[in-house]
Amino acid sequence: MHSSICMPISPSSHTLLKSNNNPFLGDHLSSTPCLPLRRRPSLATRALLSTTKEAVLKDFHERRALKIISGLQNFNKDNVASVVTAAEKGGATHVDIACDPELVKLAISLTSLPVCVSSVDPETFPAAVEAGALMVEIGNYDSFYEMGVVFTPEQILNLTKETKRILPSVALSVTVPHTLSLPDQVKLAENLEQEGVDIIQTEGGKSSYPSKPGVLGLIEKATPTLAAAYSISRAVKIPVMCSSGLSAVTAPMAITAGAAGVGVGSAVNKLNDLVAMIAAVRSLANSLEASAGRHSTSAERALKM
Protein backbone atom coordinates (compact mmCIF):
# COMPACT_ATOMS: atom_id res chain seq x y z
CA MET A 1 0.00 0.00 0.00
CA HIS A 2 1.35 3.37 -1.02
CA SER A 3 1.24 6.49 1.09
CA SER A 4 1.43 10.04 -0.15
CA ILE A 5 3.95 12.66 0.86
CA CYS A 6 3.59 16.37 1.40
CA MET A 7 6.70 18.54 1.72
CA PRO A 8 5.85 21.81 3.54
CA ILE A 9 7.99 24.80 2.63
CA SER A 10 9.60 26.25 5.72
CA PRO A 11 10.35 29.95 6.29
CA SER A 12 14.07 29.10 6.18
CA SER A 13 13.91 28.99 2.40
CA HIS A 14 12.98 32.67 2.33
CA THR A 15 15.88 33.52 4.64
CA LEU A 16 18.19 31.61 2.33
CA LEU A 17 16.98 33.53 -0.71
CA LYS A 18 17.78 36.84 0.93
CA SER A 19 21.43 35.88 1.21
CA ASN A 20 21.82 34.82 -2.43
CA ASN A 21 23.10 37.25 -5.01
CA ASN A 22 23.20 34.92 -7.99
CA PRO A 23 21.74 36.76 -11.02
CA PHE A 24 20.01 33.52 -12.06
CA LEU A 25 17.72 33.71 -9.02
CA GLY A 26 16.02 36.98 -9.93
CA ASP A 27 15.06 39.47 -7.24
CA HIS A 28 12.40 38.17 -4.88
CA LEU A 29 13.19 39.11 -1.30
CA SER A 30 9.86 38.31 0.25
CA SER A 31 9.22 38.29 3.96
CA THR A 32 5.96 36.38 3.49
CA PRO A 33 5.73 33.09 1.59
CA CYS A 34 2.44 33.85 -0.15
CA LEU A 35 3.01 37.43 -1.25
CA PRO A 36 6.54 37.74 -2.63
CA LEU A 37 7.74 41.25 -3.39
CA ARG A 38 9.52 41.33 -6.74
CA ARG A 39 11.26 44.18 -8.41
CA ARG A 40 11.53 44.22 -12.17
CA PRO A 41 15.00 42.99 -13.16
CA SER A 42 17.12 45.21 -15.37
CA LEU A 43 17.15 44.70 -19.12
CA ALA A 44 20.72 43.39 -18.89
CA THR A 45 19.78 40.84 -16.21
CA ARG A 46 16.72 39.69 -18.13
CA ALA A 47 18.80 39.29 -21.28
CA LEU A 48 21.38 37.22 -19.38
CA LEU A 49 18.72 34.97 -17.85
CA SER A 50 17.00 34.50 -21.18
CA THR A 51 20.26 33.64 -22.94
CA THR A 52 21.27 31.15 -20.23
CA LYS A 53 17.94 29.33 -20.23
CA GLU A 54 17.89 29.26 -24.02
CA ALA A 55 21.35 27.64 -24.05
CA VAL A 56 20.32 25.03 -21.45
CA LEU A 57 17.19 24.11 -23.42
CA LYS A 58 18.77 24.25 -26.89
CA ASP A 59 19.37 20.49 -27.20
CA PHE A 60 15.78 19.80 -26.16
CA HIS A 61 14.41 22.11 -28.83
CA GLU A 62 16.65 20.36 -31.34
CA ARG A 63 15.29 16.97 -30.15
CA ARG A 64 18.73 15.59 -29.33
CA ALA A 65 19.06 15.91 -25.54
CA LEU A 66 20.74 13.11 -23.59
CA LYS A 67 20.69 13.55 -19.81
CA ILE A 68 22.68 11.18 -17.62
CA ILE A 69 21.25 10.84 -14.09
CA SER A 70 23.30 9.97 -11.01
CA GLY A 71 20.29 9.73 -8.66
CA LEU A 72 18.26 12.03 -6.42
CA GLN A 73 19.62 10.43 -3.23
CA ASN A 74 23.07 9.52 -4.50
CA PHE A 75 25.52 11.60 -2.44
CA ASN A 76 28.51 9.33 -3.06
CA LYS A 77 31.08 11.78 -4.43
CA ASP A 78 33.16 9.12 -6.15
CA ASN A 79 30.17 7.67 -7.97
CA VAL A 80 28.79 11.08 -8.89
CA ALA A 81 32.21 12.13 -10.20
CA SER A 82 32.36 8.99 -12.35
CA VAL A 83 28.85 9.56 -13.72
CA VAL A 84 29.61 13.19 -14.55
CA THR A 85 32.91 12.27 -16.20
CA ALA A 86 31.19 9.54 -18.22
CA ALA A 87 28.51 12.00 -19.35
CA GLU A 88 31.18 14.47 -20.44
CA LYS A 89 33.38 11.98 -22.26
CA GLY A 90 30.56 9.85 -23.62
CA GLY A 91 28.73 12.59 -25.51
CA ALA A 92 25.77 13.47 -23.27
CA THR A 93 24.25 16.95 -23.38
CA HIS A 94 23.23 17.29 -19.70
CA VAL A 95 23.97 15.69 -16.35
CA ASP A 96 21.52 15.35 -13.45
CA ILE A 97 22.74 15.00 -9.85
CA ALA A 98 21.38 15.18 -6.31
CA CYS A 99 20.56 18.66 -5.06
CA ASP A 100 23.65 19.39 -3.01
CA PRO A 101 25.88 22.48 -3.44
CA GLU A 102 29.10 20.54 -2.86
CA LEU A 103 28.14 17.97 -5.50
CA VAL A 104 27.33 20.80 -7.90
CA LYS A 105 30.76 22.34 -7.36
CA LEU A 106 32.32 18.93 -7.95
CA ALA A 107 30.31 18.42 -11.14
CA ILE A 108 31.10 21.78 -12.69
CA SER A 109 34.80 21.18 -12.00
CA LEU A 110 34.57 18.04 -14.14
CA THR A 111 32.29 19.05 -17.01
CA SER A 112 31.15 21.94 -19.16
CA LEU A 113 27.73 20.31 -19.60
CA PRO A 114 24.71 22.03 -17.99
CA VAL A 115 24.22 20.58 -14.50
CA CYS A 116 20.67 19.81 -13.38
CA VAL A 117 19.82 19.11 -9.74
CA SER A 118 16.91 16.93 -8.63
CA SER A 119 14.87 17.26 -5.45
CA VAL A 120 11.32 17.21 -4.10
CA ASP A 121 12.01 20.12 -1.75
CA PRO A 122 12.07 23.51 -3.55
CA GLU A 123 13.86 25.26 -0.70
CA THR A 124 17.01 23.23 -1.46
CA PHE A 125 17.27 24.51 -5.04
CA PRO A 126 18.60 28.07 -4.50
CA ALA A 127 21.84 26.97 -2.81
CA ALA A 128 22.49 24.51 -5.66
CA VAL A 129 21.84 27.21 -8.25
CA GLU A 130 24.16 29.53 -6.32
CA ALA A 131 26.81 26.80 -6.59
CA GLY A 132 26.41 26.62 -10.37
CA ALA A 133 23.43 24.44 -11.32
CA LEU A 134 21.66 25.76 -14.42
CA MET A 135 18.54 23.61 -14.29
CA VAL A 136 16.33 22.15 -11.55
CA GLU A 137 14.19 19.02 -11.61
CA ILE A 138 11.24 18.04 -9.45
CA GLY A 139 11.36 14.31 -9.86
CA ASN A 140 13.47 11.16 -9.95
CA TYR A 141 10.99 9.61 -7.53
CA ASP A 142 12.31 6.03 -7.72
CA SER A 143 13.87 6.02 -4.27
CA PHE A 144 10.57 7.17 -2.74
CA TYR A 145 8.58 4.41 -4.42
CA GLU A 146 10.88 1.90 -2.74
CA MET A 147 9.67 3.35 0.59
CA GLY A 148 6.01 3.10 -0.43
CA VAL A 149 5.70 6.86 -1.02
CA VAL A 150 3.88 8.35 -4.01
CA PHE A 151 3.17 11.93 -5.05
CA THR A 152 -0.28 13.23 -5.99
CA PRO A 153 -0.88 15.67 -8.86
CA GLU A 154 -1.84 18.35 -6.32
CA GLN A 155 1.42 17.94 -4.42
CA ILE A 156 3.47 18.09 -7.62
CA LEU A 157 1.65 21.22 -8.76
CA ASN A 158 2.27 22.86 -5.37
CA LEU A 159 5.97 21.97 -5.51
CA THR A 160 6.10 23.41 -9.03
CA LYS A 161 4.42 26.66 -8.04
CA GLU A 162 6.80 27.12 -5.10
CA THR A 163 9.82 26.43 -7.29
CA LYS A 164 8.64 28.90 -9.92
CA ARG A 165 8.05 31.46 -7.18
CA ILE A 166 11.55 31.28 -5.75
CA LEU A 167 13.42 30.58 -9.01
CA PRO A 168 11.33 32.17 -11.77
CA SER A 169 14.13 32.38 -14.33
CA VAL A 170 15.85 29.00 -13.95
CA ALA A 171 15.05 26.16 -16.37
CA LEU A 172 12.60 23.80 -14.65
CA SER A 173 11.85 20.17 -15.44
CA VAL A 174 9.09 18.24 -13.67
CA THR A 175 8.57 14.48 -13.72
CA VAL A 176 5.06 13.10 -14.17
CA PRO A 177 4.74 9.98 -11.97
CA HIS A 178 4.10 6.64 -13.65
CA THR A 179 1.87 5.78 -10.68
CA LEU A 180 -0.87 7.88 -12.32
CA SER A 181 -3.05 6.50 -15.10
CA LEU A 182 -1.99 7.61 -18.58
CA PRO A 183 -4.93 10.08 -18.92
CA ASP A 184 -4.05 11.56 -15.51
CA GLN A 185 -0.40 11.85 -16.54
CA VAL A 186 -1.48 13.81 -19.61
CA LYS A 187 -3.75 16.07 -17.53
CA LEU A 188 -0.96 16.79 -15.04
CA ALA A 189 1.44 17.56 -17.87
CA GLU A 190 -1.03 20.05 -19.32
CA ASN A 191 -1.40 21.75 -15.93
CA LEU A 192 2.38 21.88 -15.49
CA GLU A 193 2.73 23.53 -18.88
CA GLN A 194 0.25 26.19 -17.77
CA GLU A 195 2.40 26.80 -14.67
CA GLY A 196 5.39 27.65 -16.86
CA VAL A 197 7.38 24.43 -16.62
CA ASP A 198 10.05 24.15 -19.34
CA ILE A 199 10.32 20.36 -19.65
CA ILE A 200 8.07 17.43 -18.78
CA GLN A 201 9.89 14.21 -17.86
CA THR A 202 8.24 10.80 -18.05
CA GLU A 203 9.10 7.66 -16.09
CA GLY A 204 8.08 4.05 -15.76
CA GLY A 205 11.07 1.73 -16.00
CA LYS A 206 10.87 0.30 -12.48
CA SER A 207 7.17 -0.45 -12.87
CA SER A 208 7.85 -2.76 -15.81
CA TYR A 209 9.21 -6.27 -15.36
CA PRO A 210 10.26 -7.79 -18.69
CA SER A 211 9.27 -11.37 -19.35
CA LYS A 212 11.79 -11.81 -22.17
CA PRO A 213 15.60 -11.55 -22.24
CA GLY A 214 17.73 -9.54 -24.65
CA VAL A 215 16.30 -6.95 -27.03
CA LEU A 216 12.70 -8.03 -26.43
CA GLY A 217 13.18 -7.48 -22.71
CA LEU A 218 14.70 -4.02 -23.27
CA ILE A 219 11.70 -3.01 -25.36
CA GLU A 220 9.27 -4.40 -22.78
CA LYS A 221 11.01 -2.48 -19.98
CA ALA A 222 10.76 0.81 -21.88
CA THR A 223 7.10 0.42 -22.84
CA PRO A 224 5.52 2.46 -19.96
CA THR A 225 7.76 5.50 -20.40
CA LEU A 226 7.51 5.34 -24.21
CA ALA A 227 3.71 5.28 -23.96
CA ALA A 228 3.78 8.29 -21.64
CA ALA A 229 6.15 10.21 -23.94
CA TYR A 230 3.93 9.49 -26.94
CA SER A 231 0.73 10.62 -25.19
CA ILE A 232 2.14 13.66 -23.36
CA SER A 233 4.13 15.00 -26.32
CA ARG A 234 0.90 15.22 -28.30
CA ALA A 235 -0.86 17.13 -25.52
CA VAL A 236 1.72 19.82 -24.70
CA LYS A 237 3.94 22.17 -26.70
CA ILE A 238 6.92 22.14 -24.35
CA PRO A 239 9.66 19.49 -24.75
CA VAL A 240 9.15 16.04 -23.25
CA MET A 241 12.05 14.03 -21.88
CA CYS A 242 11.55 10.26 -21.87
CA SER A 243 13.25 8.63 -18.87
CA SER A 244 13.38 5.35 -16.90
CA GLY A 245 14.22 1.95 -18.28
CA LEU A 246 15.80 3.18 -21.51
CA SER A 247 18.79 1.71 -23.35
CA ALA A 248 20.66 2.21 -26.61
CA VAL A 249 17.97 0.00 -28.18
CA THR A 250 14.99 2.04 -27.00
CA ALA A 251 16.40 5.60 -26.80
CA PRO A 252 15.78 6.22 -30.54
CA MET A 253 12.23 4.89 -30.09
CA ALA A 254 11.63 7.63 -27.52
CA ILE A 255 12.53 10.33 -30.04
CA THR A 256 10.31 8.69 -32.66
CA ALA A 257 7.48 8.57 -30.09
CA GLY A 258 7.69 12.34 -29.70
CA ALA A 259 10.29 12.95 -26.99
CA ALA A 260 12.78 15.80 -27.30
CA GLY A 261 15.40 13.89 -25.35
CA VAL A 262 16.07 10.92 -23.11
CA GLY A 263 17.19 10.56 -19.51
CA VAL A 264 19.19 7.52 -18.42
CA GLY A 265 20.18 6.63 -14.87
CA SER A 266 20.76 3.08 -13.67
CA ALA A 267 22.07 1.86 -17.03
CA VAL A 268 25.06 4.10 -16.32
CA ASN A 269 25.25 4.90 -12.59
CA LYS A 270 25.01 1.25 -11.48
CA LEU A 271 28.17 0.31 -13.37
CA ASN A 272 31.30 -0.03 -11.26
CA ASP A 273 33.89 0.89 -13.88
CA LEU A 274 34.41 4.36 -15.38
CA VAL A 275 35.39 2.93 -18.75
CA ALA A 276 32.17 0.91 -18.83
CA MET A 277 30.17 4.03 -17.90
CA ILE A 278 31.75 6.03 -20.72
CA ALA A 279 31.05 3.19 -23.15
CA ALA A 280 27.40 3.05 -22.04
CA VAL A 281 26.93 6.79 -22.54
CA ARG A 282 28.70 6.69 -25.91
CA SER A 283 26.45 3.82 -27.01
CA LEU A 284 23.37 5.90 -26.12
CA ALA A 285 24.73 9.00 -27.85
CA ASN A 286 25.61 7.01 -30.96
CA SER A 287 22.16 5.43 -31.09
CA LEU A 288 20.52 8.88 -30.98
CA GLU A 289 22.90 10.27 -33.61
CA ALA A 290 22.27 7.30 -35.90
CA SER A 291 18.52 7.72 -35.46
CA ALA A 292 18.76 11.44 -36.26
CA GLY A 293 20.75 10.60 -39.38
CA ARG A 294 18.14 8.12 -40.56
CA HIS A 295 15.36 10.64 -40.03
CA SER A 296 17.30 13.30 -41.98
CA THR A 297 17.90 10.90 -44.87
CA SER A 298 14.23 9.93 -44.96
CA ALA A 299 13.19 13.59 -44.99
CA GLU A 300 15.60 14.37 -47.82
CA ARG A 301 14.25 11.45 -49.85
CA ALA A 302 10.69 12.60 -49.27
CA LEU A 303 11.53 16.08 -50.53
CA LYS A 304 13.07 14.66 -53.72
CA MET A 305 9.98 12.59 -54.55
Side-chain angles (χ1 to χ4, degrees):
M1 182 183 212
H2 289 298
S3 62
S4 62
I5 185 170
C6 183
M7 306 286 293
I9 305 303
S10 71
S12 62
S13 63
H14 304 284
T15 302
L16 173 62
L17 288 174
K18 292 180 182 180
S19 66
N20 287 332
N21 56 9
N22 187 337
F24 296 119
L25 300 185
D27 192 353
H28 37 84
L29 306 182
S30 173
S31 60
T32 58
C34 298
L35 297 173
L37 175 63
R38 298 179 183 171
R39 291 181 296 178
R40 186 186 298 272
S42 67
L43 290 175
T45 299
R46 279 184 286 172
L48 174 62
L49 294 173
S50 177
T51 301
T52 301
K53 180 182 283 191
E54 182 179 339
V56 171
L57 298 177
K58 179 176 181 291
D59 291 305
F60 290 96
H61 293 303
E62 293 179 355
R63 295 171 56 81
R64 57 179 298 274
L66 171 58
K67 185 176 74 168
I68 303 301
I69 304 166
S70 69
L72 180 146
Q73 296 196 37
N74 179 8
F75 297 95
N76 183 313
K77 290 186 177 181
D78 290 338
N79 181 262
V80 171
S82 294
V83 171
V84 171
T85 300
E88 170 77 22
K89 295 184 179 299
T93 62
H94 297 73
V95 63
D96 186 323
I97 64 177
C99 189
D100 177 81
E102 294 306 312
L103 287 181
V104 173
K105 293 175 184 177
L106 173 64
I108 63 177
S109 74
L110 297 171
T111 184
S112 59
L113 300 177
V115 174
C116 174
V117 290
S118 292
S119 178
V120 293
D121 185 356
E123 74 175 59
T124 65
F125 286 139
V129 171
E130 176 74 14
L134 296 179
M135 181 175 170
V136 297
E137 157 83 21
I138 298 171
N140 293 337
Y141 310 125
D142 284 352
S143 59
F144 292 100
Y145 297 148
E146 293 169 357
M147 297 184 290
V149 175
V150 298
F151 293 80
T152 68
E154 293 75 20
Q155 288 167 346
I156 292 172
L157 284 170
N158 287 335
L159 292 172
T160 299
K161 290 175 182 178
E162 178 66 4
T163 302
K164 290 294 294 182
R165 188 188 68 77
I166 62 178
L167 293 174
S169 301
V170 175
L172 172 61
S173 172
V174 179
T175 297
V176 172
H178 77 266
T179 52
L180 301 175
S181 68
L182 202 50
D184 286 343
Q185 289 185 49
V186 171
K187 180 61 177 176
L188 176 57
E190 292 172 335
N191 290 336
L192 290 169
E193 181 178 37
Q194 292 175 4
E195 294 297 332
V197 168
D198 298 293
I199 297 167
I200 299 293
Q201 182 167 299
T202 65
E203 63 170 18
K206 284 199 173 183
S207 68
S208 178
Y209 299 93
S211 61
K212 303 289 184 181
V215 173
L216 284 176
L218 292 173
I219 294 173
E220 269 189 88
K221 186 172 180 62
T223 298
T225 196
L226 291 174
Y230 178 90
S231 300
I232 292 173
S233 66
R234 282 154 178 77
V236 300
K237 295 180 180 178
I238 57 176
V240 174
M241 166 161 279
C242 188
S243 183
S244 292
L246 295 178
S247 64
V249 172
T250 52
M253 296 180 185
I255 303 301
T256 301
V262 300
V264 178
S266 59
V268 175
N269 65 44
K270 296 300 183 185
L271 300 174
N272 295 320
D273 180 70
L274 177 58
V275 173
M277 287 183 176
I278 295 172
V281 176
R282 173 49 60 190
S283 178
L284 288 159
N286 286 343
S287 72
L288 291 175
E289 289 172 6
S291 175
R294 286 194 294 270
H295 285 307
S296 297
T297 301
S298 298
E300 290 171 1
R301 289 174 179 170
L303 290 173
K304 291 178 181 179
M305 291 178 64

